[in-house]
């Protein structure tokens, strides 16, 4: 890191009457961690996105704590804590289903041998002061500390000013910071999409040029970042930001290549509509599965390969299967997809061929398939985008209604209708015994 740029400054202390953070809006678990660390004689600050969102009047997704206690000291203070990570050693303190992440203040004096040739930090377990930790944060708006000792907000980097201006600004030299951790480029796009902020000019300039550095990031870590980008309620905006900065091509190269060279509009429309549906479901507190998301994002490269295989004489179902193998094998090199999601994703794809069978008992057999609902929703999405036959989608909607099912409600019986009888056997009435 460029030590000359990251000069430690006297912080701006925003006293309690001068900011809008209230302990009533901080989770009970986070307050327990903060108070116990303070009682144990350590500094304890809420930091990062939680502070930023509270100041913006938003509900934080999670609460992170920073302290001068080492990971071992933190663990000793909590019976429900465990140390995690190698690159960054953190402590997770669990309260039921809620986990509070606690980090020790980072030092600016990390060792050079713990960086890769490209400048990426491989290990970062040198601990320091709160002043150093603030300079090690990524964006100024994420370098704000809420001090539980006096309920003040501590600002080392003019983060409050950038927050009020709606500006994302990296601390330090942007190119150096991106080389230290290329994921910061994804974070810039994500925060710009989530908050509606502009990216400051010097922070923005290197992104497109350094986007290729994401190729050095482990695919499992990129999977987690993709979920943050697309399963947080602002997927459409994130998608547009990623494509603008050439970041999407690093995450989904097959999709970007297909979208860039496709002469029709429906592939891009399908992706956007799929992401819009994801945002709507999250806004309505409905569940969203990554399997459906990845099925949407990878459908166009799969469709192109399957089309070529069909032209060679392969049946549609087999073409989808083989194309799926090719697409997934290539995709996991960039972004890992856990098997618990890749398997249902493949089923969503291959079931598209079975929707063509509308005669005899085929529709009835497909209706009871465990992945029918997701595959049907995918068919509707294809039809809305102009890629699949709208009449076919309408037929399946009508068929479900005829069977007494609600196509909009997860195949629940319609009011006043009887659900399908299935293959249940009728019970025989017991015979009455006659007197011998």
């Amino acid at each position: 890191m460029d030590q000359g740029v990251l000069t430690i400054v006297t912080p701006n202390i925003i006293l309690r009457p001068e900011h809008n953070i209230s302990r009533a809006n901080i989770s009970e678990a986070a307050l327990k961690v903060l108070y116990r660390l303070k009682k144990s004689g350590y500094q304890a600050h809420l930091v990062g996105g939680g502070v930023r969102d509270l100041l913006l009047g938003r509900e934080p997704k999670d609460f992170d704590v920073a302290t001068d206690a080492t990971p071992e000291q933190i663990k000793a203070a909590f019976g429900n804590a465990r140390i995690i990570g190698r690159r960054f050693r953190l402590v997770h303190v669990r309260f039921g289903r809620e986990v509070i992440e606690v980090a020790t203040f980072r030092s600016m004096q990390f060792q050079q041998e713990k960086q890769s040739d490209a400048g990426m930090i491989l290990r970062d377990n040198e601990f320091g002061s709160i002043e150093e930790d603030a300079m090690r944060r990524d964006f100024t708006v994420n370098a704000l500390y809420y001090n539980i000792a006096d309920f003040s907000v501590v600002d080392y980097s003019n983060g409050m000013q950038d927050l009020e201006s709606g500006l994302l600004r990296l601390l330090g030299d942007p190119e150096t910071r991106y080389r230290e951790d290329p994921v910061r480029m994804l974070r810039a796009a994500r925060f710009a999409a989530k908050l509606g902020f502009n990216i400051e000019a010097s922070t923005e300039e290197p992104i497109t040029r350094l986007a290729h550095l994401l190729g050095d990031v482990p695919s499992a870590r990129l999977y987690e970042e993709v979920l943050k980008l697309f399963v947080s309620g602002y997927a459409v905006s994130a998608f547009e930001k990623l494509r603008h900065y050439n970041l999407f091509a690093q995450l989904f190269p097959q999709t970007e290549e297909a979208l860039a060279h496709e002469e029709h509009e429906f592939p891009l429309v399908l992706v956007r509509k799929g992401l819009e549906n994801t945002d709507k479901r999250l806004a309505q507190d409905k569940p969203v599965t990554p399997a459906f998301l990845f099925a949407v994002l990878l459908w166009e490269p799969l469709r192109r390969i399957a089309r070529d295989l069909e032209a060679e004489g392969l049946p549609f179902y087999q073409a989808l299967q083989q194309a799926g193998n090719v697409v997934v094998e290539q995709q996991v090199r960039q972004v890992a997809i856990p098997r618990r999601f890749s398997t249902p994703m493949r089923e969503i794809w291959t079931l598209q061929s079975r929707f063509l069978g509308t005669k005899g008992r085929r529709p009835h057999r497909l209706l009871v398939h465990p992945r029918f609902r997701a595959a049907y929703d995918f068919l509707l999405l294809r039809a809305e985008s102009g890629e699949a036959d709208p009449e076919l989608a309408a037929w399946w909607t009508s068929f479900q209604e005829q069977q007494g099912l609600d196509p909009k409600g997860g195949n629940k019986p319609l009011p006043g209708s009887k659900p399908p009888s299935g293959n249940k056997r009728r019970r025989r009435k017991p015979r009455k015994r006659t007197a011998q």
Side-chain angles (χ1 to χ4, degrees):
M1 182 178 293
D2 190 338
Q3 303 274 335
V5 175
L6 294 181
T7 303
I8 295 177
V9 297
T10 302
N12 178 27
I13 307 296
I14 300 96
L15 299 177
R16 175 64 190 91
E18 300 170 3
H19 66 75
N20 65 325
I21 295 180
S22 168
R23 280 169 290 169
N25 297 324
I26 301 174
S27 80
E28 183 178 343
L31 289 173
K32 285 181 180 179
V33 172
L34 290 167
Y35 280 125
R36 189 177 301 182
L37 286 171
K38 177 178 176 290
K39 186 177 180 180
S40 300
Y42 303 114
Q43 295 183 53
H45 297 77
L46 203 64
V47 68
V51 178
R52 179 200 68 220
D53 289 347
L54 286 170
L55 289 169
L56 290 172
R58 294 167 173 255
E59 183 178 352
K61 183 178 179 182
D62 46 40
F63 295 92
D64 296 335
V65 173
T67 178
D68 58 346
T70 65
E72 290 75 17
Q73 290 170 330
I74 299 167
K75 189 175 187 299
F78 297 92
N80 52 338
R82 67 187 185 99
I83 298 174
I84 66 163
R86 294 177 60 190
R87 181 171 175 266
F88 297 105
R89 291 179 72 219
L90 304 166
V91 179
H92 278 180
V93 185
R94 182 176 293 277
F95 296 86
R97 299 182 64 179
E98 185 175 2
V99 175
I100 304 300
E101 188 171 277
V102 187
T104 306
F105 297 143
R106 303 289 170 190
S107 170
M108 288 166 56
Q109 307 295 330
F110 54 83
Q111 299 176 21
Q112 196 71 26
E113 62 267 22
K114 294 182 180 179
Q115 287 182 272
S116 70
D117 294 338
M120 187 188 301
I121 297 177
L122 304 176
R123 293 287 179 89
D124 187 17
N125 292 305
E126 303 294 328
F127 305 131
S129 65
I130 185 174
E131 293 85 1
E132 290 178 290
D133 188 75
M135 296 299 103
R136 291 294 307 279
R137 297 280 161 178
D138 49 11
F139 300 97
T140 60
V141 296
N142 291 340
L144 298 166
Y145 296 74
Y146 175 76
N147 188 355
I148 198 64
D150 59 6
F151 316 123
S152 65
V153 172
V154 186
D155 180 5
Y156 286 91
S157 58
N158 293 322
M160 287 291 286
Q161 182 178 335
D162 285 342
L163 201 65
E164 293 169 358
S165 302
L167 199 63
L168 280 176
R169 184 195 310 271
L170 269 175
L171 279 158
D173 175 61
E175 180 155 346
T176 302
R177 303 308 306 279
Y178 290 142
R179 288 188 180 276
E180 287 174 354
D181 186 0
V183 166
R184 286 180 178 138
M185 293 182 282
L186 296 180
R187 287 168 63 81
R190 174 157 63 90
F191 292 142
K194 174 183 178 179
L195 305 173
F197 281 17
N198 293 320
I199 302 177
E200 184 266 336
S202 64
T203 299
E204 180 183 46
E205 186 278 324
I207 296 179
T208 301
R209 179 163 46 84
L210 299 179
H212 67 277
L213 294 176
L214 288 173
D216 298 327
V217 179
S219 61
R221 187 180 178 204
L222 290 182
Y223 165 75
E224 297 296 335
E225 292 300 322
V226 165
L227 292 190
K228 292 175 183 177
L229 282 158
F230 293 127
V231 193
S232 297
Y234 44 88
V236 175
S237 179
F239 173 66
E240 292 172 351
K241 297 287 185 187
L242 292 175
R243 293 199 79 200
H244 176 74
Y245 293 115
N246 194 37
L247 296 169
F248 186 78
Q250 312 306 316
L251 300 173
F252 296 92
Q254 300 173 94
T255 306
E256 178 59 34
E257 195 276 336
L259 294 178
H261 295 90
E262 180 58 59
E263 63 275 13
H264 301 291
E265 291 185 2
F266 64 77
L268 185 58
V269 172
L270 183 141
V271 171
R272 283 182 173 158
K273 281 187 174 292
L275 297 178
E276 285 175 5
N277 290 345
T278 299
D279 288 343
K280 288 178 182 177
R281 289 185 66 85
L282 290 170
Q284 297 168 359
D285 291 325
K286 293 182 179 180
V288 171
T289 171
F292 193 89
L293 172 69
F294 281 105
V296 169
L297 291 173
L298 295 171
W299 173 252
E300 181 55 19
L302 175 139
R303 189 188 69 84
R304 289 161 64 94
I305 296 173
R307 182 183 59 191
D308 293 340
L309 292 173
E310 271 195 289
E312 296 174 5
L314 208 62
F316 187 35
Y317 181 83
Q318 294 181 21
L320 289 175
Q321 283 186 318
Q322 290 193 21
N325 293 337
V326 173
V327 168
V328 172
E329 182 181 354
Q330 294 185 26
Q331 178 58 40
V332 295
R333 297 171 187 172
Q334 275 75 34
V335 178
I337 306 177
R339 189 179 297 274
R340 67 182 184 276
F341 297 128
S342 65
T343 298
M345 174 186 70
R346 290 170 183 266
E347 289 181 308
I348 290 171
W349 287 338
T350 54
L351 285 179
Q352 300 307 301
S353 65
R354 292 182 59 182
F355 283 114
L356 299 175
T358 58
K359 306 295 183 182
R361 297 297 303 171
R362 291 182 180 181
H364 298 270
R365 289 195 292 267
L366 180 54
L367 201 60
V368 297
H369 192 284
R371 213 68 64 190
F372 170 82
R373 179 66 199 181
Y376 166 73
D377 288 343
F378 195 77
L379 173 66
L380 292 183
L381 186 64
R382 292 173 58 213
E384 291 172 10
S385 305
E387 187 255 317
D389 184 0
E391 292 186 3
L392 180 65
W395 187 94
W396 278 97
T397 300
S398 175
F399 175 71
Q400 291 177 78
E401 293 172 350
Q402 291 172 13
Q403 299 303 306
L405 301 175
D406 183 359
K408 294 183 180 180
N411 287 352
K412 295 178 182 178
L414 291 169
S417 66
K418 295 181 179 180
S421 59
N423 294 320
K424 291 183 180 180
R425 295 182 179 180
R426 296 177 63 183
R427 290 184 178 181
R428 292 183 178 180
K429 293 182 180 180
R431 290 183 178 180
K432 293 182 179 180
R433 291 188 177 182
T434 56
Q436 296 291 328

